[in-house]
Amino acid sequence: MRGLGELEVKVMDVLWSASGPLRVREVLERLDTPRPLAYTTVMTVLDNLHGKGWVRRNRAGRAYEYTASESRAEAGAKLLRDVLASSGDAERVLLHFARSATPEESDILRRALNRRGGRG
């Protein structure tokens, strides 16, 4: 899965925060950007995100409604796997990350490994 541009990330934040599908106008109204955006700009970004597989869209009358294809956590995990796969040495990358992790990140990893170890 390809990475996202700055505006694409903001659009995905809106979709991930939504409780249901959104139309272009609703995404536009919820975007927090330093300058006003055109409706067509947001429509183009959503179309690009659909083409990249980040969002699903369903016809609702004459418009589309958009939802994220997967949760923020699922998308993050997929990106992490892509980085590890492209590194050529996943073990070295993971070990480097573990050594450089913040105390909070280390706690998260420890809790996850403990939960995983408790399952058969």
Side-chain angles (χ1 to χ4, degrees), residues 14-103:
V14 168
L15 292 175
W16 280 321
S17 300
S19 59
L22 298 177
R23 293 178 181 216
V24 174
R25 176 87 40 217
E26 295 168 314
V27 173
L28 176 61
E29 290 168 355
R30 295 177 188 199
L31 276 172
D32 182 21
T33 57
R35 58 182 174 75
L37 297 172
Y39 176 93
T40 54
T41 300
V42 176
M43 185 173 63
T44 299
V45 169
L46 284 162
D47 187 55
N48 290 341
L49 288 168
H50 178 259
K52 292 179 180 182
W54 284 85
V55 300
R56 286 190 295 264
R57 66 182 178 197
N58 292 306
R59 189 67 81 173
R62 294 176 49 200
Y64 284 113
E65 291 182 329
Y66 294 87
T67 56
S69 296
E70 53 197 1
S71 72
R72 185 188 307 264
E74 290 167 329
K78 196 174 277 184
L79 287 172
L80 181 55
R81 281 191 197 95
D82 288 348
V83 167
L84 291 173
S86 67
S87 72
D89 193 344
E91 180 179 359
R92 183 172 282 176
V93 171
L94 283 171
L95 290 174
H96 179 75
F97 175 78
R99 283 192 299 273
S100 64
T102 66

